[in-house]
Amino acid sequence: MAQPLELPQKGEVKIEFAERFSITRLRNGCRLLEIKKPVGRKRGLWFTYLLVPKGQPVPKGYDYDELVSIPVRTVTCASGFHVSLVALLGHFDAVVGVSGKMRVGNERIHEMLDAGEMAALGDSQNMNMETLVETRPDVAFIYGSGSDFDMQEKIHQFGITPGLICAHLEAQPLGVLEWIKFIGAFFQKEAIAQAYFDSVKTQYLNYQRVADAVAQKPGVIVGHNRKGAWTTHGSSAWFVQFLLDAGANYILEPKNEYEENVVSLEVAIQKGIKADYWVNPQWDVRKISELLGQDKRYGIFKSVQTGQVYNNNASAFNNGRNRFWETGMMEPQVVLADLIKIFHPELLPEHKLVYYRKLD
């Protein structure tokens, strides 16, 4: 990783790919963090944090929803990706609570949960507020979607600062990773966050340029049939961008700003018949025969007939949890290299798949 550089004392922090937050450096190390509400009924500014280093006076003239003394000492995390961001900044020990084992694969977290050394809080919408209050983190990192189901107001009412993470709404894989700058501001580790991001960005863009040169872009679908409808899990805008950056053509649904479109089973089957590749079918599937056992109609898919079906479950923690949604989001350049290797193997002849496996 590149050595951290000194950051300017004042002014806007350069946010290159993320669209859901901004950071402004104020005097005396203070920071103004603004969360931008996603597309919906009420666009625009959504939530604002004023970060003030311990011992510094609170600057006047700024409106904010939460006043936070930095660096924070303890946090809770809603997902394994949040844990990974915090750990990369060197503050794994600051994590005192997580949603539970379902959304976090980190082995050490599982061990601590089993030993009673880590609080299990439950998912964001079903959070155990009593446990959260007992844990008393400086910041509780949670998902923020700009919907009526968000938990920040309830958490605030209990005297806890909610840390809204909207990375899953970003339109770019590098935009997802860029949230490390947001978390880095709470720990006063912005230089480390910037250096890591810059290193990954350079590698990612190099791979992207390699794929940009291809003339033929194969058609790709994602997801699977679930209860008579086609679920496009994993096809949020940032994942669609992965496919495009890897030199593929995502043919299942129109690319929109952040929400998945509803895809009927009839349309999905029509697309599947033509698609050259099928990626990210049901999360635990390892063999094409398993897919055919779930729905024989998959047998008419071109990708099934040619053996071009790939799943993102090749890398797992010791406890079996998929690493793609945690460490994979920390190294999007590796995920992109995997996808280029799948769609255009001649472009990266030396690369071996890390997060993806070919279903046999």
Side-chain angles (χ1 to χ4, degrees):
M1 185 168 63
Q3 290 297 316
L5 302 176
E6 289 294 326
L7 295 172
Q9 294 300 309
K10 292 181 62 178
E12 291 285 335
V13 174
K14 185 178 182 181
I15 305 298
E16 300 177 68
F17 297 89
E19 299 175 345
R20 303 303 180 195
F21 76 95
S22 65
I23 303 175
T24 303
R25 301 186 188 95
L26 310 177
R27 296 178 180 176
N28 301 323
C30 297
R31 301 289 187 262
L32 193 69
L33 275 57
E34 296 180 333
I35 303 292
K36 301 174 184 178
K37 184 174 175 61
V39 171
R41 290 172 299 170
K42 299 177 182 178
R43 304 186 183 198
L45 189 60
W46 180 25
F47 210 80
T48 303
Y49 300 87
L50 182 59
L51 310 185
V52 180
K54 293 178 173 64
Q56 292 294 334
V58 177
K60 298 180 180 180
Y62 297 98
D63 294 327
Y64 53 86
D65 297 288
E66 294 285 348
L67 177 65
V68 184
S69 179
I70 58 173
V72 296
R73 297 168 295 107
T74 59
V75 300
T76 59
C77 297
S79 76
F81 175 56
H82 301 165
V83 172
S84 296
L85 289 171
V86 173
L88 191 145
L89 293 167
H91 290 279
F92 178 85
D93 290 342
V95 180
V96 294
V98 295
S99 58
K101 291 184 177 181
M102 287 299 296
R103 294 187 180 274
V104 181
N106 184 286
E107 292 101 334
R108 179 58 184 147
I109 293 290
H110 280 229
E111 292 171 359
M112 296 173 74
L113 286 167
D114 290 339
E117 300 170 353
M118 176 76 60
L121 304 170
D123 291 339
S124 290
Q125 294 178 22
N126 300 297
M127 186 175 294
N128 187 321
M129 300 307 298
E130 182 178 351
T131 302
L132 180 65
V133 171
E134 291 175 353
T135 306
R136 294 216 63 83
D138 292 335
V139 176
F141 288 120
I142 59 173
Y143 289 106
S145 299
S147 74
D148 295 335
F149 298 103
D150 289 324
M151 292 289 293
Q152 72 271 9
E153 291 185 8
K154 184 175 182 180
I155 290 174
H156 175 79
Q157 290 172 1
F158 280 86
I160 306 294
T161 296
L164 291 168
I165 306 292
C166 311
H168 61 295
L169 304 181
E170 294 293 348
Q172 305 272 350
L174 287 174
V176 175
L177 176 62
E178 200 160 18
W179 279 80
I180 193 172
K181 299 178 183 179
F182 177 84
I183 293 181
F186 285 92
F187 287 100
Q188 291 185 312
K189 290 296 178 64
E190 292 167 284
I192 292 176
Q194 183 71 56
Y196 180 80
F197 178 80
D198 286 345
S199 175
V200 171
K201 179 189 71 172
T202 297
Q203 298 172 66
Y204 188 99
L205 294 180
N206 285 340
Y207 282 131
Q208 183 185 11
R209 280 189 285 270
V210 170
D212 278 345
V214 300
Q216 298 296 322
K217 298 186 177 183
V220 182
I221 62 168
V222 302
H224 68 281
N225 176 20
R226 184 173 66 184
K227 299 180 179 179
W230 192 268
T231 173
T232 58
H233 64 91
S235 64
S236 47
W238 58 264
F239 185 76
V240 172
Q241 193 62 49
F242 260 135
L243 300 177
L244 301 179
D245 289 345
N249 181 22
Y250 178 61
I251 66 172
L252 182 61
E253 55 182 335
K255 181 177 180 291
N256 64 341
E257 193 156 349
Y258 80 97
E259 293 178 318
E260 298 176 5
N261 294 316
V262 176
V263 179
S264 72
L265 181 57
E266 179 182 9
V267 169
I269 290 177
Q270 291 174 352
K271 298 291 187 180
I273 291 173
K274 299 183 293 184
D276 301 292
Y277 291 86
W278 182 7
V279 301
N280 296 11
Q282 191 164 345
W283 66 273
D284 57 346
V285 168
R286 295 169 180 264
K287 296 180 178 294
I288 288 181
S289 60
E290 295 176 46
L291 288 174
L292 293 174
Q294 296 171 4
D295 194 325
K296 293 181 180 179
R297 288 173 293 185
Y298 292 154
I300 64 176
F301 283 14
K302 179 180 178 180
S303 57
V304 172
Q305 295 175 353
T306 58
Q308 298 295 347
V309 184
Y310 293 81
N311 213 353
N312 60 352
N313 59 3
S315 181
F317 291 100
N318 293 335
N319 52 40
R321 301 293 299 174
N322 192 336
R323 294 173 63 95
F324 180 87
W325 305 105
E326 299 187 29
T327 60
M329 298 302 94
M330 299 299 298
E331 46 184 21
Q333 79 281 20
V334 178
V335 174
L336 181 60
D338 273 8
L339 292 169
I340 294 174
K341 179 71 174 184
I342 290 169
F343 304 138
H344 306 285
E346 74 283 358
L347 296 180
L348 298 178
E350 303 300 321
H351 180 75
K352 297 184 183 302
L353 297 182
V354 176
Y355 290 101
Y356 276 87
R357 71 170 78 243
K358 186 176 184 179
L359 272 58
D360 52 25

